[in-house]
Amino acid sequence: MPVELVNRVESTIQPNEHPYMNGAWTPQTEEFNGTDLEVIGQIPSDIDGVYVRNTENPVQQPIGRYHPFDGDGMIHVMSFKDGAASYRNRFVRTKGFQAEQEAGRALWAGLAENPAKSERPGWGAHGGLKDSSSTDVVIHAGRILSTFYQCGEGYRLDPYTLEQDGIEAWTPIDGISAHPKVDEATGELLFFNYSKHAPYMHYGVVGADNKLKHYTPVPLPGARLPHDMAFTANYSILNDLPVFWEPELLAKGLHVVRFHREMRSRFGIIPRYGSADDVRWFDADPTYVLHFLNAYEEGDEIVLDGYFEEDPEPQSSNSAPAGFERIMAYLDQSKLKPKLHRWRFNLATGETREQRLDDRVLEFGVINNQFAGRKYRYGYSAVSKPGWFLFTGLVKHDLESGESWTIDFGEERYGSEPGFAPRIGAVDEDDGYLVTFVTDRIADRSECVVYYAKRLDDGPVCRIMVPGKISSGTHATWGQGEAIRAARGG
């Protein structure tokens, strides 16, 4: 198994019992190139592209309490072509990562700590919270774009070599939130950001040529904490949800998040190149939505699917180690109770209708990206381990028939958000593969696992052994090889 250890990053992490620095969340410090990897089964010859995953991977001993979202971004890529696969992983060389490497210690306190403990002033990714670029990852204009949920800078990497291209030049002064969206039909990237100063939100469009085409304020009543957005062929969908900092405490410099149950949720629908005056706001039941699945236009309606949290402000976890009660609660999907949900916004009447699509606790959904922003049929959601931020399996939904199918990764096997890889010559929407990284606690290794989406009950098509053990994380994506090569001019 030809594996090249490219680099071992210096770390000051000390052995500890933190629940999110052990097990499937054990930090990884080694960067590898791997080819001719051990394979159980056979790699499909009709798959061409890259599966890319971002992970939270701390390098420095934390200042105070560590939250897993504080970890440094590490990108993992499995590349597929002609029935072969190769693997690479690299840390994202953010300004914060480089500064801490030079200092040999942590310079920023994390999400669970008072920002005043940081050696850098202010709040958020441009102040007391390090921009680790460890939350999300998409492929746009032929390159990876990694982002941080607290509106940091966008970092670009080559999707095959993981060569670092640095900070994206068009990054606005208020940064880029995680979850920019790529419209594969046009090549455009849609994004938003948020801040503690008026107008509190902005929205923008970047062209297929990677040039900023549009950037507009979207005024909100105050500081908010939006995490995701959605889009259709002609509109983008933003949100103003009733989970945000307590305003009176925020005025005193305290960042205390509350669910304001008396308030309605608001969804802002804006034409793709619209201005603040064009935004139409629709009221809906109070909730928080961490992630949306997809949206599309149907007659006069905008249809939006996502994960409606039934309890956005859960009680502390009684089983958590001392000091981690709140952290564990907000990472526990079984407490937040996200359910697959549908909103319909009627552009003619201004009416909102809502529908529950599944009563199971599900989150972190993906689709065939070729259907993003368009009417679609299939979605793939992650199943979480109760009490933990760990994925134990996947559920495929047929949103037309109402049928669903389940994958269980197996005992002590924890996967990642999958990517959907359309099969070369695919004839319909679910004709392709689900690709995920799985860490096996019993075998003490990580694998890339591939399933044929039309026959999930058959189990994995193949399992590819990965050098090193991947630390867990949040988001992943799939990029078609043909589209990447076309965007790069070759």
Side-chain angles (χ1 to χ4, degrees):
M1 184 172 73
V3 172
E4 176 189 6
L5 175 60
V6 177
N7 186 37
R8 183 177 286 110
V9 173
E10 292 295 323
S11 173
T12 59
I13 298 291
Q14 299 298 312
N16 62 82
E17 298 182 357
H18 192 295
Y20 284 96
M21 296 179 77
N22 285 282
W25 285 87
T26 300
Q28 179 181 4
T29 59
E30 297 173 324
E31 299 175 322
F32 294 99
N33 295 342
T35 58
D36 297 325
L37 301 166
E38 178 188 351
V39 179
I40 299 173
Q42 185 170 356
I43 298 171
S45 59
D46 55 358
I47 182 172
D48 174 11
V50 292
Y51 173 60
V52 186
R53 185 186 186 187
N54 205 344
T55 56
E56 284 97 1
N57 199 108
V59 172
Q60 306 299 341
Q61 183 67 20
I63 298 172
R65 291 172 298 172
Y66 174 73
H67 190 288
F69 296 171
D70 302 335
D72 294 285
M74 177 183 273
I75 305 293
H76 303 259
V77 171
M78 187 66 77
S79 307
F80 295 86
K81 197 172 191 300
D82 299 329
S86 62
Y87 168 83
R88 293 191 179 211
N89 69 306
R90 298 290 189 274
F91 280 101
V92 183
R93 263 61 179 186
T94 65
K95 291 190 294 187
F97 176 90
Q98 300 284 36
E100 291 187 334
Q101 281 290 294
E102 292 174 9
R105 68 183 190 282
L107 301 175
W108 286 264
L111 182 62
E113 280 296 341
N114 188 330
K117 291 187 177 181
S118 297
E119 295 187 24
R120 306 298 169 98
W123 177 90
H126 295 282
L129 197 64
K130 180 174 64 176
D131 176 4
S132 57
S133 201
S134 60
T135 309
D136 194 23
V137 60
V138 298
I139 296 176
H140 169 251
R143 296 184 298 161
I144 290 170
L145 177 68
S146 69
T147 49
F148 186 60
Y149 74 104
Q150 294 276 8
C151 298
E153 288 152 328
Y155 284 84
R156 290 285 193 173
L157 300 91
D158 185 282
Y160 288 100
T161 67
L162 290 184
E163 180 180 346
Q164 313 267 328
D165 292 333
I167 297 170
E168 180 51 67
W170 51 258
T171 302
I173 190 170
D174 284 328
I176 310 165
S177 178
H179 303 305
K181 303 296 181 182
V182 177
D183 184 348
E184 295 199 357
T186 67
E188 292 169 312
L189 180 137
L190 318 171
F191 72 93
F192 71 99
N193 59 36
Y194 59 96
S195 65
K196 294 196 300 181
H197 57 84
Y200 304 109
M201 180 186 281
H202 289 83
Y203 156 76
V205 182
V206 179
D209 59 0
N210 200 36
K211 294 182 179 179
L212 184 65
K213 306 293 187 182
H214 182 63
Y215 189 65
T216 183
V218 179
L220 299 178
R224 297 292 190 264
L225 292 169
H227 186 74
D228 199 2
M229 64 172 290
F231 72 93
T232 70
N234 296 293
Y235 298 93
S236 290
I237 307 167
L238 306 169
N239 60 81
D240 172 10
L241 303 177
V243 177
F244 53 87
W245 296 296
E246 195 68 57
E248 294 80 8
L249 296 176
L250 185 62
K252 299 177 182 178
L254 301 174
H255 300 86
V256 179
V257 178
R258 292 283 183 264
F259 178 30
H260 301 264
R261 301 174 186 271
E262 73 286 357
M263 298 178 63
R264 301 277 285 167
S265 297
R266 296 200 312 151
F267 293 88
I269 297 178
I270 182 172
R272 182 166 297 191
Y273 283 85
S275 67
D277 293 338
D278 298 317
V279 181
R280 292 189 60 186
W281 291 99
F282 290 77
D283 287 352
D285 291 342
T287 187
Y288 189 74
V289 182
L290 195 61
H291 300 115
F292 297 105
L293 183 60
N294 196 19
Y296 58 91
E297 299 163 31
E298 190 170 68
D300 290 332
E301 292 186 318
I302 301 291
V303 181
L304 172 66
D305 294 341
Y307 300 91
F308 182 109
E309 290 187 1
E310 292 185 345
D311 189 4
E313 191 177 7
Q315 296 296 313
S316 295
S317 175
N318 295 327
S319 61
F324 300 109
E325 295 88 352
R326 298 301 293 159
I327 294 174
M328 295 287 280
Y330 277 94
L331 292 169
D332 184 355
Q333 300 297 310
S334 68
K335 285 183 172 291
L336 296 166
K337 298 182 177 66
K339 308 290 181 67
L340 187 57
H341 195 80
R342 173 165 288 175
W343 295 263
R344 287 181 173 271
F345 309 112
N346 193 303
L347 298 177
T349 67
E351 177 189 13
T352 301
R353 292 189 292 143
E354 303 188 46
Q355 175 188 359
R356 183 60 46 83
L357 299 178
D358 196 311
D359 280 325
R360 286 174 285 187
V361 172
L362 301 168
E363 244 286 3
F364 287 84
V366 303
I367 62 169
N368 179 339
N369 287 333
Q370 294 177 345
F371 289 79
R374 276 73 183 170
K375 188 173 177 60
Y376 73 119
R377 181 170 179 173
Y378 300 102
Y380 308 87
S381 305
V383 179
S384 296
K385 180 177 181 177
W388 287 88
F389 185 29
L390 291 168
F391 301 149
T392 60
L394 303 170
V395 173
K396 173 186 177 180
H397 283 96
D398 182 334
L399 297 171
E400 288 187 9
S401 72
E403 294 179 279
S404 66
W405 301 264
T406 301
I407 295 172
D408 189 308
F409 295 140
E411 183 183 2
E412 289 294 303
R413 289 171 60 85
Y414 302 109
S416 59
E417 184 179 68
F420 184 92
R423 192 177 63 82
I424 297 172
V427 297
D428 50 26
E429 182 183 339
D430 67 338
D431 189 6
Y433 300 92
L434 290 178
V435 188
T436 183
F437 286 120
V438 171
T439 294
D440 188 322
R441 294 286 314 284
I442 297 174
D444 197 30
R445 68 187 181 199
S446 291
E447 311 168 3
C448 181
V449 184
V450 180
Y451 301 86
Y452 183 44
K454 280 185 173 292
R455 295 197 302 269
L456 296 182
D457 291 340
D458 291 352
V461 175
C462 67
R463 296 161 52 197
I464 308 166
M465 302 304 117
V466 173
K469 285 183 294 182
I470 297 174
S471 176
S472 198
T474 49
H475 294 288
T477 193
W478 172 263
Q480 282 289 83
E482 182 179 9
I484 293 171
R485 291 189 291 273
R488 291 149 64 105

